[in-house]
Amino acid sequence: MNEPLPERSQSRPLRIAMIAGESSGDHLGAGLMEAMRADADRPVSYAGVGGPEMERAGLTSAFPLSEIAVMGPFAILARLPGLIRRVHEAVDHVVAFEPDILIIVDSPEFTHPVAKRVRRRLPGLPIVDYVSPTVWAWRPWRARKMRGYVDRVLAVFPFEPAVHARLGGPDCVYVGHPAIERLKLMPPRTAQAGDRPTLLVLPGSRITEIERLMPVFRDSLQALRDKGRDFDAILPAVPHLADRLSQEVSDWPVRPRVVAGEREKWKAFSAGRVALAASGTVTLELALAGVPMVVTYRLDPLTAALRWMVRTHSVVMANLVIGENAFPEFIHGGCDPQTLSAAIDPLFDDGPERHAQLAAIDTVRDATLIDGDSPSQRAAAAVLDILEKNGRGALTPRP
């Protein structure tokens, strides 16, 4: 921890700088902003980089989030000059804001270079990292290096504090996964006797992954139908991609119904019998919603070549939480219609494959769900603690 800076006047608004790198971080950051504002004993102002949700919560963004939202080393290399320029713009924006604290949110390829440069220019500024990089999966040496520019990590998986302690990383506290908060959007499950079961189709939220997976998903649905499986299909989409996806599935032999937005997604989850999903946060959401799943992903060439560096038994979040590969995953290899349809088919029936996944779902829920405050509120409390330790106390703890 850095030496505390002199305490600032309590009449001055609390200034919080936040840096997100993609839409999931935008959602997470907005929840934290609202929780901190609810606990503040004086006005709070925000600046940094964020998307529509963080802007609605009061952030003044240095530039549109869409200009930096990329994933995977191949995509990053292709846009490297522009990303480097945006890193420097974000740093200048934060420094000019004269914040009391900097919070970086996920997307370490962008947010960590910003944090390192801010630390050099404002060495006494406390820095919090909301969502740990996957140091438990690959490049574990990053944990120790983070100690030079991160004072606390807010973990969204319960196993991460122990990982950082083992690897010599920064102070790390588990605050809960944001998917827990979104569960309230799901209506109660109701019996649907006589109706056709619903297959959820979840190809991801990034253009690159959608382009790679949609042809495979189309043919997987057709392969299931060819096996004699009768079902309805729903494709939940982020709003800005709904029209594009609706057009793309319009000529599919088995055409899914496209729905847009968080509420419609969780409504679909409440009806889902089984899901075919791209690897990502959605696998944890599906487990919390009680939906068995098959998970897949098709990598870009460079990422596929680097797979040997991954040091974990799984890349599926739901599997990582419970420490076993309960939910089948086909990452690159096996990402084909025959393999995927064969794995999905038995999950429609009340047989051993489905019962095993339902038992694993109960384990995921037991490990992930938290009592009391929401993850956003717990994250706000962790930020409060850092502010107080640096002589910048400006939030009121929850009773």
Side-chain angles (χ1 to χ4, degrees), residues 304-331:
L306 296 175
R307 285 188 68 199
W308 62 272
M309 298 177 65
V310 176
R311 301 185 178 187
T312 184
H313 65 91
S314 174
V315 298
V316 174
M317 291 185 181
N319 284 336
L320 290 168
V321 166
I322 60 176
E324 61 177 286
N325 290 12
F327 306 98
E329 57 186 279
F330 302 96
I331 309 302

Short mmCIF file of all heavy atoms in Angstrom, two decimals, residues 304-331:
data_model
loop_
_atom_site.label_atom_id
_atom_site.label_comp_id
_atom_site.label_asym_id
_atom_site.label_seq_id
_atom_site.Cartn_x
_atom_site.Cartn_y
_atom_site.Cartn_z
N ALA A 304 -5.36 -19.98 -30.57
CA ALA A 304 -5.31 -21.45 -30.62
C ALA A 304 -3.89 -21.95 -30.48
O ALA A 304 -3.63 -22.96 -29.81
CB ALA A 304 -5.93 -21.93 -31.93
N ALA A 305 -2.93 -21.24 -31.09
CA ALA A 305 -1.54 -21.65 -31.01
C ALA A 305 -0.97 -21.50 -29.60
O ALA A 305 -0.01 -22.19 -29.23
CB ALA A 305 -0.70 -20.84 -31.99
N LEU A 306 -1.57 -20.61 -28.79
CA LEU A 306 -1.07 -20.37 -27.44
C LEU A 306 -1.79 -21.18 -26.37
O LEU A 306 -1.55 -20.99 -25.18
CB LEU A 306 -1.19 -18.87 -27.11
CG LEU A 306 -0.36 -17.91 -27.97
CD1 LEU A 306 -0.70 -16.46 -27.61
CD2 LEU A 306 1.13 -18.16 -27.79
N ARG A 307 -2.67 -22.08 -26.78
CA ARG A 307 -3.47 -22.83 -25.80
C ARG A 307 -2.61 -23.65 -24.84
O ARG A 307 -3.02 -23.92 -23.71
CB ARG A 307 -4.45 -23.76 -26.51
CG ARG A 307 -5.66 -23.05 -27.12
CD ARG A 307 -6.66 -24.06 -27.62
NE ARG A 307 -7.29 -24.80 -26.51
CZ ARG A 307 -7.91 -25.96 -26.65
NH1 ARG A 307 -7.96 -26.55 -27.83
NH2 ARG A 307 -8.46 -26.55 -25.61
N TRP A 308 -1.43 -24.04 -25.26
CA TRP A 308 -0.58 -24.85 -24.39
C TRP A 308 -0.17 -24.11 -23.13
O TRP A 308 0.24 -24.72 -22.14
CB TRP A 308 0.68 -25.28 -25.15
CG TRP A 308 1.55 -24.12 -25.59
CD1 TRP A 308 1.43 -23.41 -26.74
CD2 TRP A 308 2.62 -23.53 -24.86
NE1 TRP A 308 2.38 -22.40 -26.79
CE2 TRP A 308 3.13 -22.45 -25.65
CE3 TRP A 308 3.22 -23.78 -23.62
CZ2 TRP A 308 4.18 -21.66 -25.23
CZ3 TRP A 308 4.28 -22.98 -23.21
CH2 TRP A 308 4.75 -21.95 -24.01
N MET A 309 -0.30 -22.77 -23.15
CA MET A 309 0.09 -21.98 -21.98
C MET A 309 -0.96 -21.99 -20.87
O MET A 309 -0.68 -21.59 -19.75
CB MET A 309 0.36 -20.53 -22.41
CG MET A 309 1.51 -20.37 -23.40
SD MET A 309 1.72 -18.66 -23.93
CE MET A 309 2.20 -17.86 -22.40
N VAL A 310 -2.17 -22.45 -21.18
CA VAL A 310 -3.24 -22.44 -20.19
C VAL A 310 -2.98 -23.52 -19.14
O VAL A 310 -2.73 -24.68 -19.47
CB VAL A 310 -4.61 -22.66 -20.87
CG1 VAL A 310 -5.71 -22.77 -19.82
CG2 VAL A 310 -4.90 -21.53 -21.84
N ARG A 311 -3.04 -23.15 -17.86
CA ARG A 311 -2.69 -24.06 -16.77
C ARG A 311 -3.90 -24.36 -15.88
O ARG A 311 -3.80 -24.34 -14.66
CB ARG A 311 -1.58 -23.45 -15.92
CG ARG A 311 -0.31 -23.14 -16.68
CD ARG A 311 0.77 -22.67 -15.74
NE ARG A 311 2.02 -22.40 -16.42
CZ ARG A 311 3.16 -22.09 -15.79
NH1 ARG A 311 3.17 -22.00 -14.47
NH2 ARG A 311 4.25 -21.86 -16.48
N THR A 312 -5.02 -24.62 -16.47
CA THR A 312 -6.20 -24.91 -15.67
C THR A 312 -6.98 -26.04 -16.31
O THR A 312 -6.85 -26.30 -17.52
CB THR A 312 -7.09 -23.65 -15.54
OG1 THR A 312 -8.19 -23.93 -14.69
CG2 THR A 312 -7.61 -23.20 -16.89
N HIS A 313 -7.77 -26.73 -15.49
CA HIS A 313 -8.49 -27.90 -15.97
C HIS A 313 -9.64 -27.54 -16.90
O HIS A 313 -10.16 -28.40 -17.62
CB HIS A 313 -9.04 -28.69 -14.78
CG HIS A 313 -10.08 -27.94 -13.99
ND1 HIS A 313 -11.42 -28.01 -14.26
CD2 HIS A 313 -9.94 -27.09 -12.94
CE1 HIS A 313 -12.08 -27.24 -13.41
NE2 HIS A 313 -11.21 -26.67 -12.60
N SER A 314 -10.04 -26.25 -16.91
CA SER A 314 -11.20 -25.84 -17.69
C SER A 314 -11.11 -24.34 -17.96
O SER A 314 -10.43 -23.60 -17.24
CB SER A 314 -12.49 -26.16 -16.93
OG SER A 314 -13.63 -25.64 -17.60
N VAL A 315 -11.79 -23.90 -19.00
CA VAL A 315 -11.94 -22.46 -19.24
C VAL A 315 -13.39 -22.03 -19.02
O VAL A 315 -13.73 -20.86 -19.22
CB VAL A 315 -11.49 -22.07 -20.67
CG1 VAL A 315 -10.03 -22.37 -20.87
CG2 VAL A 315 -12.34 -22.77 -21.73
N VAL A 316 -14.24 -22.96 -18.63
CA VAL A 316 -15.66 -22.67 -18.41
C VAL A 316 -15.86 -22.19 -16.98
O VAL A 316 -15.48 -22.88 -16.02
CB VAL A 316 -16.51 -23.92 -18.69
CG1 VAL A 316 -17.97 -23.68 -18.34
CG2 VAL A 316 -16.38 -24.32 -20.16
N MET A 317 -16.43 -21.01 -16.82
CA MET A 317 -16.53 -20.41 -15.50
C MET A 317 -17.28 -21.29 -14.51
O MET A 317 -16.89 -21.41 -13.35
CB MET A 317 -17.20 -19.04 -15.60
CG MET A 317 -16.35 -18.00 -16.30
SD MET A 317 -17.11 -16.37 -16.28
CE MET A 317 -15.87 -15.42 -17.20
N ALA A 318 -18.36 -21.91 -14.95
CA ALA A 318 -19.12 -22.77 -14.04
C ALA A 318 -18.27 -23.95 -13.57
O ALA A 318 -18.38 -24.38 -12.41
CB ALA A 318 -20.39 -23.26 -14.74
N ASN A 319 -17.42 -24.51 -14.44
CA ASN A 319 -16.52 -25.59 -14.04
C ASN A 319 -15.45 -25.10 -13.07
O ASN A 319 -15.08 -25.80 -12.13
CB ASN A 319 -15.86 -26.20 -15.27
CG ASN A 319 -16.78 -27.11 -16.06
OD1 ASN A 319 -17.74 -27.66 -15.52
ND2 ASN A 319 -16.50 -27.27 -17.33
N LEU A 320 -14.94 -23.92 -13.31
CA LEU A 320 -13.87 -23.38 -12.47
C LEU A 320 -14.36 -23.17 -11.03
O LEU A 320 -13.61 -23.38 -10.08
CB LEU A 320 -13.35 -22.07 -13.05
CG LEU A 320 -12.56 -22.19 -14.35
CD1 LEU A 320 -12.35 -20.83 -14.98
CD2 LEU A 320 -11.22 -22.88 -14.11
N VAL A 321 -15.60 -22.74 -10.89
CA VAL A 321 -16.13 -22.47 -9.56
C VAL A 321 -16.14 -23.73 -8.69
O VAL A 321 -15.84 -23.68 -7.50
CB VAL A 321 -17.56 -21.88 -9.66
CG1 VAL A 321 -18.26 -21.90 -8.31
CG2 VAL A 321 -17.49 -20.44 -10.19
N ILE A 322 -16.45 -24.88 -9.29
CA ILE A 322 -16.58 -26.11 -8.51
C ILE A 322 -15.37 -27.02 -8.62
O ILE A 322 -15.30 -28.05 -7.95
CB ILE A 322 -17.85 -26.89 -8.89
CG1 ILE A 322 -17.83 -27.28 -10.37
CG2 ILE A 322 -19.08 -26.06 -8.58
CD1 ILE A 322 -19.03 -28.13 -10.79
N GLY A 323 -14.40 -26.66 -9.47
CA GLY A 323 -13.17 -27.42 -9.56
C GLY A 323 -13.28 -28.75 -10.27
O GLY A 323 -12.44 -29.64 -10.08
N GLU A 324 -14.28 -28.91 -11.11
CA GLU A 324 -14.42 -30.14 -11.90
C GLU A 324 -15.13 -29.82 -13.20
O GLU A 324 -15.83 -28.82 -13.32
CB GLU A 324 -15.21 -31.19 -11.12
CG GLU A 324 -16.62 -30.78 -10.75
CD GLU A 324 -17.40 -31.87 -10.04
OE1 GLU A 324 -17.81 -32.83 -10.73
OE2 GLU A 324 -17.56 -31.77 -8.81
N ASN A 325 -14.92 -30.69 -14.20
CA ASN A 325 -15.49 -30.46 -15.52
C ASN A 325 -16.86 -31.12 -15.63
O ASN A 325 -17.07 -32.08 -16.38
CB ASN A 325 -14.54 -31.00 -16.60
CG ASN A 325 -13.28 -30.17 -16.71
OD1 ASN A 325 -13.01 -29.34 -15.85
ND2 ASN A 325 -12.51 -30.40 -17.75
N ALA A 326 -17.81 -30.57 -14.88
CA ALA A 326 -19.17 -31.12 -14.87
C ALA A 326 -19.94 -30.75 -16.13
O ALA A 326 -20.86 -31.46 -16.54
CB ALA A 326 -19.91 -30.63 -13.63
N PHE A 327 -19.59 -29.61 -16.72
CA PHE A 327 -20.31 -29.12 -17.90
C PHE A 327 -19.39 -29.32 -19.12
O PHE A 327 -18.30 -28.75 -19.18
CB PHE A 327 -20.68 -27.66 -17.73
CG PHE A 327 -21.44 -27.40 -16.45
CD1 PHE A 327 -20.80 -26.92 -15.32
CD2 PHE A 327 -22.79 -27.68 -16.37
CE1 PHE A 327 -21.48 -26.71 -14.14
CE2 PHE A 327 -23.50 -27.47 -15.19
CZ PHE A 327 -22.84 -26.99 -14.08
N PRO A 328 -19.80 -30.15 -20.07
CA PRO A 328 -18.91 -30.49 -21.18
C PRO A 328 -18.51 -29.27 -21.99
O PRO A 328 -19.33 -28.40 -22.29
CB PRO A 328 -19.74 -31.47 -22.02
CG PRO A 328 -21.15 -31.27 -21.60
CD PRO A 328 -21.11 -30.81 -20.18
N GLU A 329 -17.22 -29.22 -22.34
CA GLU A 329 -16.70 -28.08 -23.09
C GLU A 329 -15.91 -28.58 -24.29
O GLU A 329 -15.14 -29.54 -24.20
CB GLU A 329 -15.82 -27.20 -22.20
CG GLU A 329 -14.65 -27.90 -21.54
CD GLU A 329 -13.91 -27.00 -20.57
OE1 GLU A 329 -13.08 -26.19 -21.01
OE2 GLU A 329 -14.19 -27.12 -19.35
N PHE A 330 -16.13 -27.92 -25.39
CA PHE A 330 -15.44 -28.25 -26.64
C PHE A 330 -14.82 -26.96 -27.16
O PHE A 330 -15.44 -26.21 -27.91
CB PHE A 330 -16.43 -28.86 -27.64
CG PHE A 330 -17.11 -30.09 -27.11
CD1 PHE A 330 -18.37 -30.01 -26.52
CD2 PHE A 330 -16.47 -31.32 -27.16
CE1 PHE A 330 -18.99 -31.14 -26.01
CE2 PHE A 330 -17.09 -32.46 -26.65
CZ PHE A 330 -18.35 -32.38 -26.08
N ILE A 331 -13.60 -26.71 -26.71
CA ILE A 331 -12.91 -25.46 -27.05
C ILE A 331 -12.00 -25.71 -28.23
O ILE A 331 -10.98 -26.40 -28.13
CB ILE A 331 -12.12 -24.94 -25.83
CG1 ILE A 331 -13.01 -24.87 -24.59
CG2 ILE A 331 -11.52 -23.57 -26.14
CD1 ILE A 331 -14.25 -24.02 -24.73
#
